[in-house]
């Protein structure tokens, strides 16, 4: 009994003291922010037809639907072209800033607002990738996804270095951003528009805004203070819980897709992949689709292989080697879908979701390759080469992705 209590206490201490998967959460942040940003840029010329006043799904029709389901969307707060353009610009800007990791806590909230506002405004636009992005935009709010590979991480390193030299570090941008967002929240709440539908998202907005103030206040005290320790514990718990939810969501997507495919007669006889290759809507390269479908054996192998991989993947998470092999297979499959079926954003969203299972060692090497490529570009363009940052992350960040707990949930190779 004492041994069990000791193991339980160690597990609780590990979960509360550590934010797991800093590299995985960073790559998920980059993946979904990049996917949404590329989509918004591609649809920029057609934005008014998709989500705005020129679309067949008019504002009044959207109003009637949202009055029924209570979905959150800022586009229902005003029926004007100027307001639509402002919300679309906010969605673009928040996606770009979240991608580079600038003020990730605030940007993750604004990113969620942009995704929900546009998608809930026109529910008939999009595909399965939009549903994944819709869910992940909410989960990202609870993660500490800017601890590596972000401007926030660089600012934290510089602040630590300045403090070590005895210099006073003052952050003016954070409080200013908090005041601006607080003013917007108060204005929208006072107008009665924020709580018109379901209360979940509005309450989350207020909770995050209040938590930012508490975090800033406790951060002004010395690191060992009890409020600071408590804030870190709460932040780690929320992060770790959200990361588990993201992993479970990805597993559910593949498991349900695989089990539904098993029940389909075309998947059972091995011909299901043949038909989408010959649909005009999914044939940006008809010659390529014809080439892939000429071999009946290839069609059968791809059909059965897809079902096997999707059903088996959730059960392979505790076997790192098999999990890594299936990850490569699934990401390759999504890349093929992006090209052959013309679904790039669906594939990017799924690849971003799969990235939460990537090994930490691979992600570190990937970061090292990116740093060397950046340094090479700076050197080649006449700039001053910067030192590599392969191992300059804080020791706590490096430790977060190691250990037996991380290995069991698939963070290590």
């Amino acid at each position: 009994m004492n041994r069990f209590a000791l193991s339980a206490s160690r597990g609780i201490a590990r979960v509360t003291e550590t934010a797991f998967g800093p590299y995985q959460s960073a790559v998920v942040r980059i993946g979904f922010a990049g996917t949404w940003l590329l989509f918004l840029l591609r649809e920029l010329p057609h934005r008014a037809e998709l989500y705005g006043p020129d679309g067949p799904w008019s504002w009044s029709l959207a109003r009637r639907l949202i009055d029924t389901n209570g979905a959150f969307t800022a586009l229902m707060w005003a029926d004007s072209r100027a307001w639509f353009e402002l919300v679309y610009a906010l969605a673009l800007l928040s996606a770009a800033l979240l991608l580079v990791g600038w003020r990730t806590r605030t940007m993750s909230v604004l990113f969620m607002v942009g995704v929900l506002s546009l998608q809930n405004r026109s529910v008939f636009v999009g595909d399965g990738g939009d549903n994944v992005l819709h869910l992940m935009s909410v989960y990202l709010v609870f993660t500490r996804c800017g601890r590596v590979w972000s401007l926030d991480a660089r600012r934290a390193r510089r602040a630590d270095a300045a403090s070590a030299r005895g210099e006073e570090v003052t952050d003016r941008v954070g409080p200013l951003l908090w005041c601006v967002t607080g003013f917007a929240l108060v204005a929208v709440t006072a107008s009665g528009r924020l709580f018109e539908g379901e209360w979940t998202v509005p309450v989350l907005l207020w909770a995050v805004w209040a938590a930012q103030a508490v975090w800033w206040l406790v951060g002004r005290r010395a690191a060992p203070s009890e409020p600071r320790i408590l804030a870190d514990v709460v932040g780690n718990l929320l992060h770790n819980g959200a990361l588990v939810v993201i992993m479970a969501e990805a597993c559910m997507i593949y498991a349900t897709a695989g089990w539904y495919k098993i029940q389909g007669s075309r998947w059972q006889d091995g011909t299901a992949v043949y038909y989408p290759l010959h649909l005009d809507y999914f044939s940006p390269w008809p010659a390529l689709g014809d080439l892939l479908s000429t071999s009946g054996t290839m069609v059968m192998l791809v059909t059965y292989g897809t079902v096997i991989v999707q059903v088996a993947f959730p059960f392979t998470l505790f076997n790192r080697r098999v999990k890594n092999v299936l990850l490569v297979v699934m990401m390759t499959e999504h890349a093929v879908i992006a090209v052959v079926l013309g679904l790039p954003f669906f594939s990017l969203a799924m690849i971003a979701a799969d990235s939460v299972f990537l090994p930490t060692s691979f992600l570190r090497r990937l970061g090292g390759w990116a740093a060397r490529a950046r340094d090479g570009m700076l050197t080649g363009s006449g700039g001053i080469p910067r030192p590599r940052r392969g191992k300059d992350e804080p020791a706590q960040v490096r430790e977060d992705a190691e250990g037996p707990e991380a290995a069991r949930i698939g963070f290590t190779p």
Side-chain angles (χ1 to χ4, degrees), residues 27 125 129 131 182 237 291 308 327 358 371 386:
V27 77
V125 176
N131 295 331
L237 285 174
L291 178 63
I308 292 172
L327 269 180
L358 287 174
R386 300 179 182 178

Side-chain angles (χ1 to χ4, degrees), residues 74-191:
L75 289 176
M76 289 293 100
W77 296 349
D79 182 15
S80 67
R81 181 62 178 259
W83 177 246
F84 163 73
E85 297 291 353
L86 179 62
V87 173
Y88 199 92
L90 175 66
L92 271 170
L93 181 62
S94 61
L97 294 178
L98 183 63
L99 176 66
V100 298
W102 186 81
R103 306 288 172 175
T104 51
R105 178 61 60 215
T106 301
M107 289 306 121
S108 64
V109 176
L110 296 180
F111 177 77
M112 177 192 69
V113 170
V115 171
L116 298 184
S117 295
L118 293 175
Q119 290 188 355
N120 290 336
R121 165 64 174 83
S122 298
V123 294
F124 300 108
V125 176
D127 49 34
D130 289 344
N131 295 331
V132 177
L133 183 62
H134 191 105
L135 295 171
M136 295 300 177
S137 67
V138 179
Y139 302 153
L140 278 174
V141 173
F142 297 94
T143 62
R144 305 176 74 173
C145 55
R147 304 188 68 215
V148 297
W149 297 347
S150 67
L151 297 179
D152 286 351
R154 186 181 68 175
R155 187 177 67 253
R157 288 195 299 268
R158 292 179 175 178
D160 291 341
S163 298
R165 295 191 300 267
E167 301 175 4
E168 183 179 357
V169 180
T170 303
D171 180 18
R172 295 183 176 85
V173 176
L176 177 62
L177 194 60
W178 182 83
C179 291
V180 171
T181 54
F183 176 79
L185 269 177
V186 170
V188 176
T189 303
S191 67

Side-chain angles (χ1 to χ4, degrees), residues 241-363:
L243 206 59
V244 171
V245 171
I246 291 174
M247 297 169 70
E249 188 71 42
C251 291
M252 287 293 296
I253 290 172
Y254 284 116
T256 54
W259 284 111
Y260 274 113
K261 286 182 175 67
I262 289 177
Q263 302 174 44
S265 59
R266 293 295 175 262
W267 290 97
Q268 293 174 6
D269 60 28
T271 62
V273 173
Y274 175 86
Y275 298 99
L277 293 175
H278 292 82
L279 293 175
D280 293 338
Y281 185 77
F282 296 111
S283 299
W285 316 100
L288 184 58
D290 293 339
L291 178 63
L292 294 176
S293 62
T294 52
S295 173
T297 303
M298 179 62 68
V299 171
M300 182 186 66
L301 290 176
V302 173
T303 301
Y304 288 149
T306 300
V307 176
I308 292 172
V309 168
Q310 290 184 347
V311 173
F313 179 73
F315 301 101
T316 65
L317 295 183
F318 298 97
N319 188 313
R320 293 171 296 185
R321 293 182 179 178
V322 178
K323 180 262 297 182
N324 291 339
V325 171
L326 289 188
L327 269 180
V328 173
V329 172
M330 291 190 301
M331 290 184 173
T332 302
E333 180 183 20
H334 288 306
V336 172
I337 290 174
V339 176
V340 177
L341 299 183
L343 295 171
F345 300 107
F346 165 77
S347 298
L348 285 174
M350 292 308 303
I351 290 174
D354 295 341
S355 299
V356 73
F357 299 106
L358 287 174
T360 299
S361 59
F362 169 76
L363 292 175

Side-chain angles (χ1 to χ4, degrees), residues 48-50 52-56 81 121:
E49 290 80 6
L50 289 175
D54 299 337
R81 181 62 178 259
R121 165 64 174 83

